[in-house]
């Protein structure tokens, strides 16, 4: 296809999808009253915001992450915001037994489960791939295998409640960028696994749905730290990224919950991440050039 044909097709599809996005399925937070939800990675960032939205809707929540003292504060805030119930369980998703333990705990505490929101990630460097296999294995357990373990453990309970699994993924699970090889690998793995699971559940007439959420840059402390690091290593980015917008964690959290409640198989936030992913496939040379030009100066260290 010629460039202009591709471009005009893209513009047409954009307009149609944008209209669809703006209309979206109806969502009322009323349906979350009393809903039994397990949220992972809820001591910070987007997961914490998910917990607060659920709390305001009167849900029953179990939150998890490693830091129990921080989770305790999140739980207190949830109860203050109107959660019917809020409890926490500290767990390290790098420990092979912890993911299933957390699901069992949530099912016991809540008497079942309506939503499993998989959101946690372990820290990973923003740097050239240096051959650190051990870190990559560890990150695969934390960011990927633990999601598979928790989802599989929760499916029987979710069948009973006609519940949903919500997976928080990233644009970097759909397109490649330099300096994020281990992280990007874990997100590609999630998209592969949960995309397959969507087919299989549908073929089995399962009551359970899976929603995959593809996010762009969100203004959490950990992501903003990465951007600062990138700018310090690659000063050229200061000029090129000055108007790169990070979208609010609270809004991302709301879109993630909405995806699950309305049982959408896939959502994109902010909306244009969908186009960034597809433009890469349509115009590979141009997008590779643009991607590498962000990091065009020699690294400082
Ligand atoms: N922020 C962005 O720009 C962005 C962009 C695209 C996609 N996303 C996705 O959005 C989700 C949330 O990102 P975020 O920026 O909110 O992350 P974040 O602020 O770094 O929070 C990560 C959470 O995971 C927990 N965690 C870390 N290691 C853990 C471990 N070994 N076991 C259990 N929990 C662990 C952390 O708590 P503890 O330290 O207490 O364990 C924390 O609650 C992730 O799936 C991420 O890939 C984010
Ligand atoms: C779905 O839920 C119904 C009850 O509403 C149940 O009879 C059925 O067995 C469930 N499906 C599966 C695959 O478990
Ligand atoms: C893309 O780049 C490659 C290598 O640089 C080149 O061989 C190829 O012709 C280019 N394709 C287009 C469509 O420009």
């Amino acid at each position: 296809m010629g460039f202009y044909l591709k471009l005009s097709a893209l513009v047409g599809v954009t307009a149609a999808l944008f209209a669809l996005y703006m209309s979206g399925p109806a969502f009322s937070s009323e349906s979350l009253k009393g809903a039994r939800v397990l949220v992972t990675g809820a001591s910070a960032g987007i997961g914490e915001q998910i917990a607060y939205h659920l709390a305001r809707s009167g849900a029953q929540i179990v939150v998890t992450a490693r830091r129990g003292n921080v989770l305790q504060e999140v739980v207190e805030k949830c109860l203050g915001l109107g959660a019917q119930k809020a409890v926490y369980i500290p767990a390290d998703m790098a420990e092979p037994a912890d993911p299933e333990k957390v699901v069992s705990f949530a099912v016991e505490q809540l008497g079942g489960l309506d939503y499993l929101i998989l959101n946690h990630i372990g820290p990973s460097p923003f740097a050239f791939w240096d051959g650190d296999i051990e870190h990559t294995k560890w990150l695969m357990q934390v960011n990927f295998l633990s999601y598979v373990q928790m989802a599989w453990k929760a499916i029987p309970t979710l069948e009973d409640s006609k519940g949903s699994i919500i997976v928080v993924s990233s644009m970097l699970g759909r397109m490649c960028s330099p300096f994020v090889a281990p992280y990007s690998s874990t997100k590609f793995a999630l998209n592969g696994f949960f995309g397959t699971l969507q087919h299989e559940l549908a073929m089995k007439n399962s009551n359970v749905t899976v929603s995959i959420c593809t996010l762009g840059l969100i203004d959490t402390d950990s992501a903003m730290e990465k951007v600062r690091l990138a700018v310090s290593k690659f000063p050229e980015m200061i000029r090129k990224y000055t108007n790169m917008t990070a979208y609010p964690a609270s809004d991302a959290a709301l879109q993630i919950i909405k995806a699950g409640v309305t049982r959408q198989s896939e959502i994109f936030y902010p909306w244009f991440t969908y186009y960034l992913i597809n433009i890469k496939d349509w115009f590979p040379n141009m997008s590779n050039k643009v991607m590498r030009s962000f990091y065009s100066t020699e690294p400082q260290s």
Side-chain angles (χ1 to χ4, degrees):
M1 249 195 289
F3 180 86
Y4 289 105
L5 192 57
K6 276 184 185 174
L7 198 63
S8 48
L10 198 67
V11 169
V13 173
T14 306
L17 274 156
F18 189 66
L20 203 67
Y21 174 86
M22 294 311 283
S23 64
F27 165 69
S28 100
S29 65
E30 194 56 25
S31 67
L32 286 166
K33 204 180 213 122
R36 299 160 300 178
V37 192
L38 168 56
V39 187
T40 72
S43 65
I46 298 167
E48 183 183 357
Q49 296 302 318
I50 290 174
Y52 298 151
H53 278 301
L54 292 167
R56 280 184 215 105
S57 307
Q60 307 183 71
I61 315 163
V62 172
V63 290
T64 188
R66 288 168 305 179
R67 293 168 298 161
N69 57 332
V70 182
L71 289 172
Q72 192 175 350
E73 287 168 22
V74 172
V75 157
E76 277 159 20
K77 200 162 166 197
C78 284
L79 291 170
L81 288 170
Q84 266 185 24
K85 179 169 183 168
V87 289
Y88 72 92
I89 175 169
D92 184 349
M93 295 299 168
E95 294 296 328
D98 277 20
E100 293 186 4
K101 198 180 77 188
V102 168
V103 173
S104 302
F105 174 84
V107 171
E108 255 164 50
Q109 288 288 320
L110 305 177
L113 202 59
D114 297 299
Y115 296 100
L116 170 61
I117 306 184
L118 299 170
N119 160 81
H120 63 276
I121 45 165
S124 189
F126 181 86
F128 275 104
W129 163 246
D130 63 356
D132 191 346
I133 301 278
E134 282 313 311
H135 169 73
T136 307
K137 275 188 190 162
W138 175 85
L139 200 68
M140 271 288 177
Q141 169 61 40
V142 174
N143 290 10
F144 171 61
L145 289 173
S146 71
Y147 279 48
V148 173
Q149 290 175 292
M150 294 183 85
W152 196 243
K153 179 79 179 173
I155 281 177
T157 315
L158 294 169
E159 285 289 358
D160 291 342
S161 62
K162 299 185 161 53
S164 292
I165 299 167
I166 304 168
V167 176
V168 181
S169 188
S170 165
M171 217 162 74
L172 296 173
R174 299 285 297 274
M175 63 190 286
C176 300
S177 152
F179 311 122
V180 289
Y183 173 77
S184 188
S185 308
T186 65
K187 291 298 182 184
F188 267 82
L190 280 180
N191 279 74
F193 182 88
F194 284 96
T196 295
L197 195 62
Q198 283 176 334
H199 284 303
E200 295 184 1
L201 291 173
M203 289 164 78
K204 291 180 186 169
N205 289 319
S206 168
N207 296 325
V208 183
T209 53
V210 174
S211 301
I212 301 173
C213 306
T214 298
L215 306 185
L217 184 64
I218 312 299
D219 69 357
T220 61
D221 294 343
S222 67
M224 292 301 92
E225 186 53 42
K226 285 267 154 69
V227 170
R228 271 191 295 277
L229 187 66
V231 167
S232 74
K233 281 189 175 178
F234 302 96
E236 182 73 352
M237 285 181 72
I238 297 171
R239 188 171 63 75
K240 292 197 167 137
Y241 270 0
T242 35
N243 51 11
M244 185 177 65
T245 314
Y247 282 74
S250 169
D251 199 21
L254 191 60
Q255 299 309 317
I256 289 164
I257 294 169
K258 186 173 157 186
V261 171
T262 58
R263 303 182 91 91
Q264 294 178 84
S265 58
E266 198 166 17
I267 64 131
F268 298 86
Y269 178 86
W271 64 273
F272 58 79
T273 54
Y274 175 84
Y275 300 99
L276 293 179
I277 290 163
N278 286 286
I279 284 167
K280 183 245 344 160
D281 286 337
W282 286 37
F283 308 106
N285 282 11
M286 180 189 79
S287 65
N288 283 341
K289 230 169 107 181
V290 170
M291 180 66 86
R292 286 169 207 159
S293 77
F294 285 145
Y295 307 103
S296 60
T297 52
E298 284 300 309
Q300 303 288 291
S301 61

